Amino acid sequence: MAIVVRNTPRTALDVVDGLAEAGVATVHEAQGRTGLLGSRLRPIYRPARIAGNALTCEVAPGDNWSIHVAVEMARPGDLLVVTPTSPCDDGYFGELLATSLVAHGVRGLVIDAGVRDVADLTEMGFPVWSKTISAQGTVKETPGNVQTPIVCAGAYVEPGDVIVADDDGVVVVRRLNAADVLAAARARVQNEAEKRERLASGELGLDMYAMREKLAQRGLRYEEHPPS
Amino acid sequence: MAIVVRNTPRTALDVVDGLAEAGVATVHEAQGRTGLLGSRLRPIYRPARIAGNALTCEVAPGDNWSIHVAVEMARPGDLLVVTPTSPCDDGYFGELLATSLVAHGVRGLVIDAGVRDVADLTEMGFPVWSKTISAQGTVKETPGNVQTPIVCAGAYVEPGDVIVADDDGVVVVRRLNAADVLAAARARVQNEAEKRERLASGELGLDMYAMREKLAQRGLRYEEHPPS
Amino acid sequence: MAIVVRNTPRTALDVVDGLAEAGVATVHEAQGRTGLLGSRLRPIYRPARIAGNALTCEVAPGDNWSIHVAVEMARPGDLLVVTPTSPCDDGYFGELLATSLVAHGVRGLVIDAGVRDVADLTEMGFPVWSKTISAQGTVKETPGNVQTPIVCAGAYVEPGDVIVADDDGVVVVRRLNAADVLAAARARVQNEAEKRERLASGELGLDMYAMREKLAQRGLRYEEHPPS
Amino acid sequence: MAIVVRNTPRTALDVVDGLAEAGVATVHEAQGRTGLLGSRLRPIYRPARIAGNALTCEVAPGDNWSIHVAVEMARPGDLLVVTPTSPCDDGYFGELLATSLVAHGVRGLVIDAGVRDVADLTEMGFPVWSKTISAQGTVKETPGNVQTPIVCAGAYVEPGDVIVADDDGVVVVRRLNAADVLAAARARVQNEAEKRERLASGELGLDMYAMREKLAQRGLRYEEHPPS
Amino acid sequence: MAIVVRNTPRTALDVVDGLAEAGVATVHEAQGRTGLLGSRLRPIYRPARIAGNALTCEVAPGDNWSIHVAVEMARPGDLLVVTPTSPCDDGYFGELLATSLVAHGVRGLVIDAGVRDVADLTEMGFPVWSKTISAQGTVKETPGNVQTPIVCAGAYVEPGDVIVADDDGVVVVRRLNAADVLAAARARVQNEAEKRERLASGELGLDMYAMREKLAQRGLRYEEHPPS
Amino acid sequence: MAIVVRNTPRTALDVVDGLAEAGVATVHEAQGRTGLLGSRLRPIYRPARIAGNALTCEVAPGDNWSIHVAVEMARPGDLLVVTPTSPCDDGYFGELLATSLVAHGVRGLVIDAGVRDVADLTEMGFPVWSKTISAQGTVKETPGNVQTPIVCAGAYVEPGDVIVADDDGVVVVRRLNAADVLAAARARVQNEAEKRERLASGELGLDMYAMREKLAQRGLRYEEHPPS
């Protein structure tokens, strides 16, 4: 009863690459603080920063069969996104699968479960964001859906959405919004450069953002420490 | 209803710096195994070892406004200590705030919540101990107390107490005890150097600490493994 | 009422060293996916890969006394395995104990609890897999069993079983099975080399493992994405 | 930037009520083991079993403002589903809000966060499934979306989908599938009645489901315990 | 090195009893949303609602010796508050200690650790709020402080502060503020009675609290669902 | 590669029943504070207290096939003990399997995973201790070992060991020690009755156990609270 959807649409790779450059925190802000995957997903090595078209894959608990199915659907610039149908920490993925994905142009893996062979994956430079690291192997008995909409670490992901991942975590950008979000992210980066310079010179955020009056209105008051 | 206390007392920086040199485990021992913050606080990069005067700050869940307020209270040698009024994993702090803190002489951050921009913070060499890493942004709607006594990760902290943080975790030293604790820590370091040498030469702790009799009294007994 | 068993049997060190070379994931597979310790045990630095004869030790919560007892039982090639009698995150172990263990030929530590002095341990190159890192010290009031069978992180371990530990986690191999497991692991490594080459050349796992028919039998079907 | 969508479609209440009668485990099976919300959602009292049309609501961390907005959108037979935009355990909901919801025909609450006044809610018979129980109050500063698609405890929920909740947890049924799922659930209930009778009489599942041959094929074998 | 402080001040019992009547959520609100202990503390049976003067006690991990010391310090109307010096889930407390406490007028227990004999404690009607339930016994080797200020489940507690506990959790009220907080709590209860009536009659919170304009200012907008 | 062992030995039921009467905390003490399963195992309803001969069963993650195999091995007085080969929270067990077990004389279930149909199981009076409650169903693709030694929730269990379970948790007693443990437990119960009477009359544990001198030796000292 599992489905594989062929020829799902992708986001243009120049947009994808622009979002990678902006990074997760900026992209998340640029789209109104939405789309973040749960902070339990952590990179297996740091620093790492990539983006790719979501190649989605559901797996049964303790069963990685559908990852093999997903490889065939891969296109260059994809990023594999794997979610178990119920929580599982097993090591679904290792260096053999990474070797196969690299051969088909896949840039990395985001998985709300475990991975193994992390020393090899680090040496290969294949970036992975996972919930855990575990040597526990998996079986191949129950296929899962590939290239269908999924929920991964609390976020809704459709095939061809952009996944951006770096040391801060992972964010998804809807395919149809990706160009707009990229524009907003670039504007944000520019705006922050100016702020950074002023803050570095010692200017207070209280003044730069004109916060003092609003803080007083919300009840903030200052008092002196009693002489000790 | 939030308060900012001005001109709270600090601990002398030579004492602070001496405690940094001793490190967390030694300081914790030197003050009778008290003052440790919960082990959920981990450094965003390693190795890292600092100490500073606690600049305390409470934040509402998902709201980092009072961190901006705290910056103005900073003095060189301070270390910002942030605690949420209820548990929250959001990314309250990033490289812009770090830039601002550095400009005011703050040495690092201890936060019982999340941070972001960790790749940038690592590159800047701005050390942070946090409960989590998360790109999730925060709002500025509800101010919290600054420079009042707080509980952070299970430990009671007053402004101007010394915070020591390294790869092992974070410990707080009461301001009025800091000089005594430093003296005890230094004695401890000296004492350990001698023990280290004896242990390295193969002497057993059982003998060096004269434990055998007490172990027997507490019921320890030895038996031979049956021949296999 | 605690027991120390002397002269427990060990596994031959050439077998132990062979298992280290194979690594945790391969050894785990080679013995039918059994023997893995819980994935909460993580190395304090990476990369790290060792194996040794289990030198087992039970500790009371917040009490590391029996680790001192265990040192005397150590033989070159041992790996200390410590489990608390109820869950505890305290820092049971630091660089003084490591110095002592190194002097007696112990290769590393696996502990389902906390360690401290991790900067020093890293510098010494003494590998540790632990549940947590914590500066919290422990007392010496209640001895525990040494060199008796234990459960550590969910796995049953007897003295002289082989413990293999690397970046993926920790696995135990029964002493009497160790040679067979090593043979199976080596066969597995060889077999994977060939697979790796085929996958790197772009061959699909679906074809290499002849999965397509079985997938169809289990209900996998393909459909086209509707034109967007 | 928050949105409230008016006049979202609902599922017919006779279908909703039929799904309540079937219960969570049966409904989950009847739709191919999909749609379950995370098992961290637990009822505040037991037994409890309800179903309703999802009235969806996003809340900022520590901020329950949009729940007040949601009440106005309620129709009889609705079940309020609340998800925070980042994880939060605060007590977003208490008996005053329950009183208001009851006045508008809402049948219960599913919330991936905390609730309070649980003694009062229990006495009122207002069923709640929550991640935690906490007296921690919330502010009203940041509105969130109401009646838009959300992810709650890992499951994707659209307004008007059917939420079924009982002692086993919470499941969502897509609005357009609800009638089909109800039919499948009813068939399943009937089928189980017959099985129950056979099992109660002592018949083995091994025989009733004809499992023995397949088990042998998958490698199961029987051996005698050696005489002890 | 442990201390027992005799003759610490208490709060008047009529104030304590008034706070019990108000309950945790109301008291927490009445003192500006401060003083809540972590929501991991849960009652062993429900419903339960009490208040008492904090009789504080620190315990070493896996060691309940100082609870015996605390009993002697008890006065009628006290409520024992126990915190471990590092996290521990052992069963520090059972029905024998409860029998002893009852004989000295103690009303209940709040413990950031484990308890056992919960069936007996339930039958006795001795209310306990704990982090866990565990049969794991403890030793008597290391005394801890009694009647000194402590941090329990993240909250700072001094002897003689008022502890209020019910099905929603546990809150601490500073001794010197207790009468004022009681007055504020009573005002709050009265005010809520009126609101409850209006909400029960179907009035919307949006109108009762006059929220519509502020919501619009913060960016909330309404739209119609497209015809389906 | 899974094994079922026939005709494993059991413990005599009069001993088993005596241990049930003593309860978990007493049995745990009577055998030197060993054998406790992790406190994450909680009863689905309270009060509950049973004991039985361990009927052991390993299950693959998300796969309950071997539970069906275990039913055939059951004898009256058994208690089913299930452990997953890697952590899993799925609902492995429901009322149909309970019906089958009851028909074969099994008294209850201990499972380090999830169960479902808890309302039905409660109504049937079939006691279960589990790690979680979840409606998530499981598959039948991979058999596991039945009636072999296992580790369940951190404790080593052999078939025919006695499992005692009540509101405090679960403990295992080695088959060959069971009669001795029962004798020790009964002595303990008698001894506690006398202590209970003395404590109820107001006698302090400090005096009854003659603790004062030892406490002073370990550094406990008393001081007066300064006049406030």
Side-chain angles (χ1 to χ4, degrees):
Chain A
M1 300 184 313
I3 293 170
V4 186
V5 183
R6 296 185 199 271
N7 296 315
T8 54
R10 262 77 175 180
T11 303
L13 286 184
D14 59 331
V15 175
V16 171
D17 293 343
L19 290 166
E21 203 181 333
V24 172
T26 296
V27 167
H28 166 65
E29 292 290 338
Q31 66 180 347
R33 294 187 176 164
T34 60
L36 215 58
L37 280 69
S39 62
R40 62 179 177 263
L41 299 189
R42 297 297 304 144
I44 59 166
Y45 60 82
R46 282 173 50 193
R49 174 181 292 198
I50 60 165
N53 276 297
L55 167 60
T56 68
C57 180
E58 286 185 323
V59 288
D63 190 316
N64 75 347
W65 209 6
S66 50
I67 297 181
H68 288 273
V69 176
V71 177
E72 192 179 25
M73 296 297 111
R75 294 192 191 161
D78 281 358
L79 192 156
L80 182 61
V81 183
V82 177
T83 196
T85 53
S86 67
C88 187
D89 282 357
D90 290 353
Y92 283 82
F93 184 94
E95 58 93 8
L96 281 184
L97 276 166
T99 299
S100 183
L101 285 174
V102 166
H104 290 83
V106 175
R107 296 175 169 184
L109 168 69
V110 167
I111 180 167
D112 191 19
V115 290
R116 59 182 185 177
D117 299 338
V118 294
D120 296 319
L121 295 169
T122 301
E123 213 176 315
M124 288 170 68
F126 187 85
V128 176
W129 285 255
S130 74
K131 181 180 158 206
T132 194
I133 292 170
S134 169
Q136 178 70 46
T138 49
V139 298
K140 287 170 186 55
E141 300 288 353
T142 310
N145 297 323
V146 172
Q147 291 289 60
T148 64
I150 60 174
V151 172
C152 183
Y156 180 77
V157 178
E158 296 191 356
D161 285 346
V162 185
I163 302 294
V164 188
D166 66 16
D167 294 11
D168 286 343
V170 185
V171 70
V172 58
V173 180
R174 294 272 88 79
R175 182 172 59 89
L176 296 178
N177 300 344
D180 289 350
V181 171
L182 176 56
R186 284 179 171 157
R188 199 175 168 87
V189 168
Q190 202 139 29
N191 176 266
E192 287 198 343
E194 187 212 358
K195 285 186 198 165
R196 187 175 299 111
E197 205 170 330
R198 290 169 67 181
L199 292 169
S201 75
E203 188 172 347
L204 289 168
L206 291 180
D207 298 317
M208 193 171 84
Y209 301 109
M211 292 171 168
R212 292 184 193 275
E213 190 180 0
K214 193 177 160 203
L215 278 162
Q217 283 167 359
R218 296 282 170 95
L220 187 73
R221 61 191 172 77
Y222 290 79
E223 56 184 49
E224 287 298 304
H225 190 271
S228 53
Chain B
M1 299 184 313
I3 293 169
V4 186
V5 184
R6 295 185 198 273
N7 296 315
T8 53
R10 260 78 175 180
T11 303
L13 286 183
D14 59 330
V15 174
V16 171
D17 293 343
L19 290 166
E21 203 180 334
V24 172
T26 296
V27 168
H28 165 66
E29 292 289 339
Q31 65 179 347
R33 294 189 175 163
T34 61
L36 215 59
L37 280 69
S39 61
R40 62 179 176 262
L41 300 188
R42 296 299 303 145
I44 59 166
Y45 61 81
R46 282 174 48 192
R49 173 180 293 197
I50 60 165
N53 276 297
L55 167 61
T56 68
C57 180
E58 286 184 323
V59 288
D63 189 314
N64 76 346
W65 210 6
S66 51
I67 297 180
H68 289 272
V69 176
V71 177
E72 191 178 26
M73 296 298 111
R75 294 192 191 162
D78 281 359
L79 191 156
L80 182 61
V81 183
V82 177
T83 196
T85 54
S86 67
C88 188
D89 282 357
D90 290 354
Y92 282 82
F93 184 93
E95 60 92 9
L96 281 183
L97 275 167
T99 299
S100 183
L101 285 174
V102 166
H104 290 84
V106 175
R107 296 175 170 184
L109 168 69
V110 168
I111 180 167
D112 191 18
V115 291
R116 58 183 185 176
D117 299 339
V118 294
D120 296 318
L121 295 169
T122 300
E123 212 175 317
M124 289 170 68
F126 186 86
V128 176
W129 285 256
S130 73
K131 182 180 156 204
T132 195
I133 292 170
S134 168
Q136 177 70 46
T138 50
V139 299
K140 288 171 185 53
E141 300 288 353
T142 309
N145 297 323
V146 172
Q147 292 289 61
T148 64
I150 61 173
V151 172
C152 182
Y156 180 77
V157 179
E158 295 191 357
D161 285 346
V162 185
I163 302 294
V164 187
D166 66 16
D167 294 10
D168 286 343
V170 185
V171 70
V172 58
V173 180
R174 295 271 89 79
R175 182 173 58 89
L176 297 178
N177 300 345
D180 289 351
V181 171
L182 176 56
R186 283 179 171 157
R188 198 174 169 88
V189 169
Q190 203 139 28
N191 177 266
E192 287 198 342
E194 187 213 356
K195 284 185 198 166
R196 187 175 300 110
E197 205 170 330
R198 292 170 64 182
L199 292 170
S201 76
E203 188 172 349
L204 289 167
L206 291 180
D207 298 317
M208 193 171 84
Y209 301 109
M211 290 169 167
R212 292 185 192 272
E213 190 180 1
K214 194 179 159 200
L215 279 163
Q217 284 168 0
R218 297 284 169 93
L220 187 74
R221 61 190 172 78
Y222 290 78
E223 54 185 49
E224 287 298 304
H225 191 271
S228 52
Chain C
M1 300 185 312
I3 293 170
V4 187
V5 183
R6 296 184 199 273
N7 295 314
T8 53
R10 262 78 175 179
T11 304
L13 286 183
D14 58 331
V15 175
V16 171
D17 293 344
L19 290 166
E21 203 180 333
V24 172
T26 296
V27 168
H28 164 66
E29 292 289 339
Q31 65 180 346
R33 294 188 176 164
T34 61
L36 215 59
L37 280 69
S39 61
R40 62 180 177 262
L41 300 188
R42 295 298 305 145
I44 60 166
Y45 61 81
R46 281 173 50 192
R49 173 180 294 197
I50 59 165
N53 277 296
L55 168 60
T56 69
C57 180
E58 286 185 323
V59 290
D63 190 314
N64 75 346
W65 210 6
S66 50
I67 297 180
H68 289 274
V69 176
V71 177
E72 193 179 24
M73 296 298 111
R75 294 193 191 161
D78 281 359
L79 192 155
L80 183 61
V81 183
V82 177
T83 195
T85 54
S86 67
C88 187
D89 282 357
D90 290 354
Y92 282 83
F93 184 95
E95 58 94 7
L96 281 183
L97 275 167
T99 299
S100 183
L101 285 174
V102 167
H104 290 83
V106 175
R107 297 174 169 185
L109 169 68
V110 167
I111 180 168
D112 191 18
V115 291
R116 58 184 186 177
D117 299 338
V118 294
D120 297 319
L121 294 170
T122 301
E123 212 176 317
M124 288 171 68
F126 187 85
V128 176
W129 284 256
S130 74
K131 181 180 156 205
T132 193
I133 292 170
S134 169
Q136 178 70 46
T138 50
V139 299
K140 287 169 185 56
E141 300 289 353
T142 308
N145 296 323
V146 172
Q147 291 289 61
T148 64
I150 60 174
V151 173
C152 183
Y156 179 77
V157 178
E158 294 191 358
D161 285 345
V162 184
I163 303 294
V164 187
D166 66 16
D167 294 10
D168 286 342
V170 184
V171 70
V172 58
V173 180
R174 294 272 87 79
R175 183 172 58 88
L176 296 179
N177 301 344
D180 289 349
V181 171
L182 176 56
R186 283 179 171 156
R188 197 174 169 87
V189 167
Q190 204 139 27
N191 177 266
E192 288 197 342
E194 187 214 355
K195 285 187 199 166
R196 187 175 301 109
E197 206 170 328
R198 290 170 65 182
L199 292 169
S201 74
E203 187 172 351
L204 289 168
L206 290 180
D207 298 318
M208 193 170 85
Y209 301 109
M211 291 170 168
R212 293 186 193 271
E213 190 180 2
K214 193 177 159 203
L215 279 163
Q217 283 167 0
R218 296 283 168 94
L220 188 73
R221 60 190 172 79
Y222 290 78
E223 55 184 48
E224 287 298 304
H225 191 272
S228 53
Chain D
M1 300 184 313
I3 294 170
V4 187
V5 184
R6 294 185 200 272
N7 295 315
T8 53
R10 261 76 175 180
T11 304
L13 286 183
D14 58 331
V15 174
V16 171
D17 293 344
L19 290 166
E21 203 180 331
V24 171
T26 297
V27 167
H28 165 65
E29 292 289 339
Q31 66 180 345
R33 294 187 175 166
T34 62
L36 215 59
L37 280 69
S39 62
R40 61 180 179 262
L41 300 189
R42 294 299 304 144
I44 61 166
Y45 61 82
R46 284 174 47 193
R49 174 180 293 196
I50 59 165
N53 277 297
L55 168 60
T56 69
C57 180
E58 285 185 324
V59 289
D63 189 316
N64 75 347
W65 209 5
S66 51
I67 297 180
H68 289 272
V69 176
V71 178
E72 193 178 24
M73 296 298 112
R75 295 193 190 160
D78 281 358
L79 192 156
L80 183 61
V81 183
V82 177
T83 196
T85 53
S86 66
C88 188
D89 281 357
D90 289 353
Y92 281 83
F93 184 93
E95 58 93 12
L96 281 184
L97 275 167
T99 300
S100 183
L101 285 174
V102 166
H104 291 84
V106 175
R107 296 174 170 185
L109 169 69
V110 167
I111 181 168
D112 191 18
V115 292
R116 58 185 187 175
D117 298 339
V118 294
D120 296 319
L121 295 170
T122 301
E123 213 175 316
M124 290 171 67
F126 187 86
V128 176
W129 285 256
S130 74
K131 181 179 157 205
T132 195
I133 293 170
S134 169
Q136 178 70 46
T138 50
V139 299
K140 287 171 185 54
E141 300 288 353
T142 308
N145 297 323
V146 172
Q147 292 288 61
T148 64
I150 61 174
V151 172
C152 183
Y156 179 76
V157 178
E158 295 191 357
D161 285 344
V162 184
I163 303 293
V164 188
D166 65 17
D167 295 11
D168 286 342
V170 185
V171 70
V172 57
V173 180
R174 295 271 89 81
R175 182 173 58 88
L176 296 179
N177 301 344
D180 289 350
V181 171
L182 176 55
R186 283 180 171 155
R188 198 175 169 86
V189 168
Q190 204 139 25
N191 177 265
E192 288 198 341
E194 187 213 355
K195 285 186 198 165
R196 186 176 300 111
E197 205 170 328
R198 291 170 66 181
L199 292 169
S201 76
E203 188 173 349
L204 289 168
L206 291 180
D207 298 318
M208 193 171 85
Y209 301 109
M211 291 169 167
R212 291 185 194 273
E213 191 181 2
K214 192 176 160 204
L215 279 163
Q217 284 167 359
R218 296 283 169 95
L220 188 73
R221 61 191 172 77
Y222 290 78
E223 56 184 47
E224 287 298 304
H225 191 271
S228 53
Chain E
M1 300 185 313
I3 293 170
V4 186
V5 184
R6 295 184 199 274
N7 296 314
T8 53
R10 261 76 174 181
T11 304
L13 285 184
D14 58 331
V15 175
V16 171
D17 293 343
L19 290 166
E21 205 179 332
V24 172
T26 297
V27 167
H28 165 66
E29 292 289 339
Q31 66 179 347
R33 293 188 176 163
T34 60
L36 215 58
L37 280 69
S39 62
R40 62 179 178 262
L41 300 188
R42 296 297 304 145
I44 59 166
Y45 60 82
R46 284 174 48 192
R49 173 180 294 197
I50 61 166
N53 277 296
L55 167 61
T56 68
C57 180
E58 286 184 324
V59 288
D63 189 315
N64 75 347
W65 209 5
S66 52
I67 297 180
H68 289 272
V69 176
V71 177
E72 192 179 25
M73 297 298 111
R75 293 190 191 164
D78 281 358
L79 192 155
L80 182 61
V81 183
V82 177
T83 197
T85 53
S86 67
C88 188
D89 282 357
D90 290 353
Y92 282 83
F93 184 94
E95 60 93 10
L96 281 184
L97 275 167
T99 300
S100 184
L101 285 174
V102 166
H104 290 84
V106 175
R107 296 173 170 187
L109 168 69
V110 168
I111 181 168
D112 190 18
V115 291
R116 58 183 187 176
D117 298 339
V118 294
D120 296 318
L121 295 169
T122 301
E123 212 176 316
M124 289 170 67
F126 187 85
V128 176
W129 285 255
S130 74
K131 180 180 157 206
T132 194
I133 293 171
S134 169
Q136 178 70 45
T138 50
V139 299
K140 289 172 184 53
E141 301 288 354
T142 309
N145 297 323
V146 172
Q147 291 289 61
T148 64
I150 61 173
V151 172
C152 183
Y156 179 77
V157 178
E158 295 191 356
D161 285 345
V162 184
I163 303 293
V164 188
D166 66 15
D167 294 10
D168 286 343
V170 184
V171 70
V172 58
V173 181
R174 296 271 88 79
R175 182 173 57 88
L176 297 178
N177 300 345
D180 290 351
V181 171
L182 176 56
R186 283 180 171 156
R188 196 174 170 87
V189 168
Q190 205 139 28
N191 176 268
E192 288 198 342
E194 188 214 354
K195 285 186 198 165
R196 186 175 301 109
E197 206 171 329
R198 291 170 65 182
L199 292 169
S201 75
E203 188 172 348
L204 289 168
L206 291 180
D207 298 318
M208 193 171 84
Y209 301 109
M211 291 170 167
R212 292 185 193 272
E213 191 180 0
K214 194 177 158 202
L215 278 163
Q217 284 168 359
R218 295 283 169 95
L220 188 73
R221 60 190 173 77
Y222 290 78
E223 55 185 49
E224 287 298 304
H225 191 272
S228 50
Chain F
M1 299 184 314
I3 294 171
V4 187
V5 184
R6 295 184 200 273
N7 296 313
T8 54
R10 261 77 175 180
T11 303
L13 286 183
D14 59 330
V15 175
V16 171
D17 293 343
L19 290 166
E21 204 180 333
V24 172
T26 297
V27 167
H28 164 67
E29 292 289 339
Q31 65 180 347
R33 294 186 176 166
T34 60
L36 216 58
L37 280 69
S39 62
R40 61 179 178 262
L41 300 188
R42 295 297 304 145
I44 60 166
Y45 60 82
R46 284 173 48 191
R49 173 181 295 197
I50 60 164
N53 277 297
L55 168 59
T56 68
C57 180
E58 287 185 322
V59 289
D63 189 314
N64 76 346
W65 209 7
S66 51
I67 298 180
H68 288 272
V69 175
V71 177
E72 192 179 26
M73 296 297 111
R75 294 191 190 162
D78 281 358
L79 193 155
L80 182 61
V81 183
V82 178
T83 197
T85 54
S86 67
C88 187
D89 281 357
D90 290 352
Y92 282 82
F93 184 94
E95 59 93 10
L96 281 183
L97 275 166
T99 299
S100 184
L101 285 174
V102 166
H104 290 84
V106 175
R107 296 176 169 183
L109 169 69
V110 168
I111 181 167
D112 191 18
V115 291
R116 58 184 186 176
D117 299 338
V118 295
D120 297 318
L121 295 169
T122 301
E123 212 175 315
M124 289 171 67
F126 187 86
V128 176
W129 285 256
S130 74
K131 182 180 157 205
T132 194
I133 292 169
S134 168
Q136 178 70 45
T138 49
V139 297
K140 287 169 186 57
E141 300 289 353
T142 309
N145 296 322
V146 172
Q147 292 288 61
T148 64
I150 60 173
V151 172
C152 183
Y156 180 76
V157 178
E158 295 191 356
D161 285 345
V162 185
I163 302 293
V164 188
D166 66 15
D167 295 10
D168 286 343
V170 184
V171 70
V172 59
V173 180
R174 295 271 88 80
R175 183 171 58 89
L176 296 179
N177 301 344
D180 289 350
V181 172
L182 176 56
R186 283 180 171 156
R188 198 174 168 87
V189 168
Q190 203 139 28
N191 177 267
E192 287 197 343
E194 188 213 355
K195 285 186 198 164
R196 187 175 299 111
E197 206 171 330
R198 291 170 66 182
L199 292 169
S201 75
E203 188 172 347
L204 288 167
L206 292 180
D207 297 320
M208 194 171 84
Y209 301 108
M211 291 170 166
R212 292 186 194 272
E213 191 180 1
K214 193 177 158 202
L215 279 162
Q217 284 167 359
R218 296 282 169 95
L220 188 73
R221 61 190 173 75
Y222 290 78
E223 56 184 48
E224 286 299 305
H225 191 271
S228 53

